[in-house]
Amino acid sequence: MSIADLINGQKPEGVEEIVVAAMLSAARPFYFAGLQIHKTLYRKGWKKIHKLPCRVICMGNLTLGGSGKTPATIMATQMLCDFGARVAILSRGYKRAKKTKEPVIVSDENRLLASPAESGDEPFLLARSLPGTPVIVCADRYQGGMEAIKRFKPDIIILDDGFQHWRLARDCDIVCIDSCQPLKNLKLFPRGALRETPAALARAHAALFTRVDEPQKIAEQVQYIRSFNRTLPVFYLRYNLNECIPLSKGAAPLSAQDLETKQVFLFCGIARPESFFRLAAQHARRIAGTLALPDHVHYDKDCLRELSHAFSRTNADYLLTTEKDAVKLESAGLPRIPVYYFRLNTQLLGENASDEFLKILLEA
């Protein structure tokens, strides 16, 4: 069991794991105290909050990864662009291989300009999924935002993953919550997946539950978050697996019949691999095996060799992964094995939900 597993709340098994888990639990009060001091420095004006000269919308969360921010950001951007707004996306480029202090323009209004290594897998996926929308990566979000304004003159900047980023002022905070990971079951970092306590929902403008099939099934979760913000608007986002696309150019997409009759091996390097495995299993009926790799995994030679061995060992007909993994595999020198990836469609559930969500994006 890795430290990441212990941080995410898994029960320790051996003596060494019990000791590490106890140390992480003991560190929790110090993390909480540091968090409160950090917030106070900004609230009291002892550290400066920078304001960009345009509307800033944050798509954030309360947990360490895996809350569905990227599909939600794509959906929100598409809604704003359809409304007629000029939108740019700003990200810190978490775990990009090639780091620089200067802003990196991942894409402009016309084309992709950076690789996944230069931008990070999620910003690159955002840029590829949203042609015509500039995507900028910079560790200093204010500097990146000013660069976006200088180059592209957006009406709105969407801040990808910035709910805990106090240095940059926002006009609207949307908090994404994974419906498969109820907040009431989570504990604070470092012996838990919470970046901050659910009390932080008091400063949110809306909560967006992701991976929802039927809203009534998570009524208890909604009641729980409303105990921290009674008037918080709540929305529900369903994921639909749309196309099954080949990584190799020229190959045909997998049909529904292929997914039902062929042996498929599933793999991914995301924060919540079980969510992908569960969703994929609704379409791929014959699962030959699964492989959960670390989040933001770098597909090096050893990793590619492991995938090749898994393909041979399980007698699978195809390997199937996420689009986030696919953007890195395209340039990784993958052996000649049939790899496909699912493309997600998202759907806001509820009558008038799209109009209400757009209104919050524009006016909250």
Side-chain angles (χ1 to χ4, degrees):
M1 185 181 297
S2 67
I3 291 181
D5 293 327
L6 294 173
I7 288 173
N8 283 317
Q10 291 195 24
K11 186 177 180 180
E13 296 174 355
V15 174
E16 183 177 343
E17 292 174 3
I18 292 173
V19 172
V20 173
M23 293 173 64
L24 293 173
S25 295
R28 187 185 292 139
F30 298 98
Y31 170 80
F32 180 74
L35 193 65
Q36 297 303 106
I37 292 170
H38 181 69
K39 291 179 185 178
T40 301
L41 290 175
Y42 282 101
R43 283 175 173 163
K44 296 291 186 181
W46 296 327
K47 295 188 81 170
K48 185 177 179 180
I49 298 176
H50 295 264
K51 173 72 175 172
L52 291 173
C54 72
R55 184 170 179 79
V56 177
I57 299 169
C58 171
M59 303 296 291
N61 67 1
L62 292 177
T63 57
L64 299 170
S67 63
K69 291 188 309 296
T70 300
T73 299
I74 292 171
M75 177 199 69
T77 304
Q78 289 172 333
M79 292 175 71
L80 290 166
C81 290
D82 290 344
F83 181 76
R86 291 175 59 87
V87 182
I89 297 175
L90 181 59
S91 173
R92 63 172 170 157
Y94 181 63
K95 289 214 171 177
R96 51 186 164 141
K98 300 178 181 179
K99 294 184 179 180
T100 174
K101 291 183 178 180
E102 298 302 314
V104 174
I105 308 301
V106 186
S107 63
D108 59 16
E109 296 100 329
N110 301 308
R111 64 195 186 281
L112 291 168
L113 299 171
S115 67
E118 294 166 321
S119 61
D121 47 18
E122 290 170 355
F124 187 85
L125 176 56
L126 288 168
R128 195 172 76 165
S129 301
L130 296 163
T133 298
V135 177
I136 300 92
V137 162
C138 190
D140 184 334
R141 251 68 71 89
Y142 177 69
Q143 181 186 2
M146 291 303 294
E147 185 70 16
I149 290 167
K150 175 184 173 182
R151 291 200 182 203
F152 306 113
K153 298 177 175 58
D155 304 312
I156 297 171
I157 286 179
I158 293 186
L159 183 61
D160 176 39
D161 192 12
F163 191 55
Q164 290 77 31
H165 189 72
W166 288 82
R167 187 169 181 266
L168 185 63
R170 283 96 63 188
D171 300 286
C172 176
D173 277 303
I174 309 295
V175 176
C176 299
I177 303 171
D178 183 358
S179 67
C180 300
Q181 191 184 32
L183 290 180
K184 69 175 183 178
N185 297 339
L186 302 180
K187 294 183 179 180
L188 192 65
F189 182 85
R191 182 69 170 104
L194 286 176
R195 296 179 176 184
E196 55 183 326
T197 67
L201 289 168
R203 68 177 191 268
H205 295 90
L208 179 62
F209 279 96
T210 62
R211 303 186 179 98
V212 178
D213 289 323
E214 298 178 38
Q216 60 269 28
K217 289 185 177 180
I218 62 167
E220 188 177 338
Q221 292 190 50
V222 175
Q223 184 179 7
Y224 176 73
I225 69 166
R226 284 246 169 88
S227 67
F228 302 98
N229 187 338
R230 289 189 300 110
T231 61
L232 185 66
V234 175
F235 297 89
Y236 309 93
L237 192 64
R238 173 185 287 164
Y239 291 174
N240 301 309
L241 292 179
N242 185 17
E243 300 175 278
C244 197
I245 302 169
L247 204 61
S248 300
K249 294 181 179 179
L254 288 183
S255 66
Q257 184 177 3
D258 289 330
L259 288 171
E260 289 183 357
T261 59
K262 301 293 186 180
Q263 290 264 38
V264 177
F265 184 88
L266 306 175
F267 74 96
C268 62
I270 60 176
R272 306 282 173 226
E274 67 281 356
S275 66
F276 168 68
F277 297 152
R278 183 170 55 248
L279 193 58
Q282 297 174 10
H283 299 263
R285 302 301 182 186
R286 301 179 64 193
I287 308 297
T290 62
L291 176 63
L293 298 165
D295 192 17
H296 302 283
V297 64
H298 172 60
Y299 283 98
D300 56 17
K301 291 181 180 179
D302 291 338
C303 193
L304 296 177
R305 192 179 301 114
E306 185 176 6
L307 290 176
S308 184
H309 288 166
F311 177 69
S312 302
R313 184 180 68 252
T314 60
N315 294 316
D317 295 297
Y318 309 105
L319 294 180
L320 191 56
T321 190
T322 71
E323 191 170 6
K324 176 181 167 181
D325 291 279
V327 299
K328 292 180 288 186
L329 285 165
E330 288 172 347
S331 58
L334 190 70
R336 295 181 63 84
I337 52 179
V339 177
Y340 291 76
Y341 63 91
F342 271 130
R343 176 164 288 162
L344 282 176
N345 273 349
T346 55
Q347 176 188 2
L348 274 176
L349 302 179
E351 188 177 357
N352 299 322
S354 295
D355 292 340
E356 292 170 6
F357 190 71
L358 178 60
K359 184 176 181 180
I360 287 175
L361 293 177
L362 293 170
E363 300 177 6

